[in-house]
Amino acid sequence: MPEPPRPPLSGDRATGLATLRTLWTVRRFEEAVDDLFARGMMHGTMHLSIGQEASATGVCSALREDDLIASTHRGHGHCIAKGAELVPMMAELLAKDTGYCRGRGGSMHIADAARGNLGANGIVGGGVPIAVGAALAQQRLRTGRVAVSFFGDGATNEGAFHEAANLAAIWKLPVVLVCENNKYGMSFSTERSMAVATIAERAAAYGFPGVRVDGNDVDAVHAAATEAVARARAGEGPTLLECVTYRWKGHSKSDKNLYRTREEIEEWRALDPVTRFERRLVEACPGVGEEDVAAVRDAVRDAVRDAVRQAMAAPDADPADLLGDLPAAVFWQPVGTDARREGVAR
C-alpha cells in the first residue's frame, strides 16, 4: 500500500524543531571540525558540506530507521541526519579508538551499520553501485527497506553511476539516487562538464523519474524524497532526485577557491538553508517562537562542545592494530538494531 502523504517538516512544532536541530547539528559539527583542522588538531583532509544541510536532512527525514544510505566523501551531514551520534563521529575524525571505525576511516569513511549507514566513500560515484546492490538485497530478501545513494554532480559523469542506474531501472530496485548538485566537481563547473541542462533529465535515459528540487529548502527536499521513497518501497523502482544546492567552503582543505567569485559565494550564502528554515518556523509554524529557535541553537552548541571534549579525551587508535578486525568493528551490529544505545560494550 502506498504510504499516506506526510505534512511538511515545518508543519508542526515538534517535527519542525527536531528538523531545525538536525540542520544546526550538521552546521555546528562541521564548523567545529573546520576549527580543529585549522588548529592542527585534526589531520588528513576535510570535505565540508556547510550550505548543503537541507538535502541530507530532508532526504533522511523521509526514511525509516532501518532504511539504508550510502554516502560520499562529503558525508558528515548524511551520517548525522541518519542518526549518528556526535561523540563517536568526532572521535573517528580525531583518529580515536572509540570512533565509528575505531579511528581508521576518518572523515571520508565513516560507517554506522546499526543505523543503516553503509559508509561514506572517497571514490567519486563509488557509493552508487553499493546502494543499488543493497537495494537488490532488500528486494530479494523482501525486507521492505529502501536504499538511498547520495552523490555529487561530478559522480553523474562516472560510468559507475550509469551502470548502476540502468540495473536499478531494469530490476525496479527500491533505491533513490540523490544528487547534491553544488555546481562543481572539485573545481570543474557543471556548465562545462555536461551538455544537459539539468542532472534530473538524465533519468529519462533509463526510464525512471528525474525530479529537480530547491536543495536549500528542506521542506521541498523532504516532499520530493517522501514521494521517491514511497515509489521505491511500492516496487515501482528508482527515482533520481537532483537537489540544487551549494557548498560554501572549498572542495577540500587544499582548495583556494580560484574558480568561483566572492560574489557567487555570497549570493548562495544569502540562501542559507538553516536560517531560511528558522524564519519559516517562526513565521508560519504554530507554537514556535524566537525563544524556541534560540534554545535549539544553544542545545546544539553544547552537544557539539561536549562531543569535542569527550572525543579529545578518548584513547588514540593503535597503529599496531591497523590491520585487525575492522569489518567486525564496523558491522558488528545488524542493520536496524542498536546495542550501543542499550549500553552493550564493543
Side-chain angles (χ1 to χ4, degrees):
M1 292 287 292
E3 295 183 358
R6 298 184 189 182
L9 297 171
S10 58
D12 72 85
R13 173 185 163 85
T15 305
L17 292 178
T19 302
L20 183 62
R21 182 183 178 97
T22 302
L23 291 167
W24 271 120
T25 301
V26 176
R27 173 72 57 86
R28 295 299 189 222
F29 180 89
E30 294 212 302
E31 288 175 342
V33 298
D34 195 24
D35 178 64
L36 290 168
F37 190 94
R39 290 192 284 151
M41 303 172 75
M42 194 171 279
H43 303 288
T45 188
M46 191 73 60
H47 303 78
L48 299 175
S49 65
I50 293 175
Q52 300 185 186
E53 295 85 354
S55 57
T57 303
V59 169
C60 288
S61 64
L63 298 176
R64 296 192 325 213
E65 188 170 357
D66 64 345
D67 285 331
L68 308 169
I69 67 167
S71 184
T72 72
H73 56 283
R74 202 179 308 284
H76 304 153
H78 309 145
C79 293
I80 291 171
K82 194 61 173 68
E85 297 175 17
L86 297 185
V87 175
M89 265 195 78
M90 192 64 77
E92 183 60 36
L93 271 63
L94 287 166
K96 300 289 186 174
D97 195 55
T98 55
Y100 269 116
C101 303
R102 299 189 62 188
R104 304 173 195 180
S107 171
M108 285 195 285
H109 302 100
I110 294 177
D112 180 15
R115 291 175 183 77
N117 183 348
L118 301 176
N121 200 313
I123 301 172
V124 175
V128 188
I130 292 173
V132 168
L136 174 61
Q138 306 317 306
Q139 184 190 68
R140 301 280 292 182
L141 295 171
R142 301 178 186 277
T143 66
R145 294 178 184 137
V146 168
V148 167
S149 174
F150 289 100
F151 50 89
D153 42 274
T156 67
N157 294 330
E158 296 283 345
F161 166 80
H162 295 280
E163 293 177 40
N166 187 55
L167 288 177
I170 61 175
W171 292 336
K172 291 189 179 300
L173 298 181
V175 64
V176 181
L177 306 177
V178 179
C179 177
E180 295 177 299
N181 179 3
N182 61 24
K183 295 176 63 67
Y184 296 96
M186 292 188 71
S187 60
F188 202 37
S189 169
T190 54
E191 295 175 359
R192 300 177 61 195
S193 64
M194 54 188 70
V196 292
T198 73
I199 289 170
E201 64 191 85
R202 286 187 155 169
Y206 303 102
F208 56 80
V211 180
R212 196 174 206 231
V213 66
D214 180 349
N216 282 8
D217 182 339
V218 67
D219 273 331
V221 173
H222 174 74
T226 297
E227 186 173 340
V229 168
R231 184 173 183 275
R233 214 182 302 281
E236 298 174 16
T239 299
L240 173 58
L241 177 59
E242 178 187 2
C243 300
V244 181
T245 184
Y246 198 78
R247 56 172 163 78
W248 295 3
K249 301 283 185 174
H251 169 73
S252 66
K253 302 308 295 185
S254 60
D255 186 351
K256 299 185 184 303
N257 266 323
L258 300 178
Y259 51 90
R260 55 185 188 175
T261 64
R262 182 181 299 274
E263 289 75 20
E264 179 183 295
I265 296 172
E266 290 305 317
E267 286 176 8
W268 279 92
R269 286 175 69 95
L271 302 174
D272 181 354
V274 182
T275 55
R276 180 176 176 180
F277 190 69
E278 273 191 353
R279 290 195 300 272
R280 183 175 299 165
L281 280 183
V282 172
E283 293 170 2
C285 185
V288 177
E290 294 282 1
E291 67 281 7
D292 299 305
V293 168
V296 169
R297 289 196 213 110
D298 291 346
V300 169
R301 177 201 60 203
D302 294 344
V304 172
R305 286 178 176 175
D306 182 62
V308 172
R309 280 193 293 268
Q310 290 196 50
M312 293 288 286
D316 293 333
D318 185 355
D321 197 32
L322 184 63
L323 301 178
D325 57 346
L326 180 57
V330 175
F331 296 102
W332 68 293
Q333 297 174 46
V335 171
T337 67
D338 199 343
R340 192 192 307 268
R341 293 180 189 169
E342 298 164 8
V344 178
R346 184 166 53 188

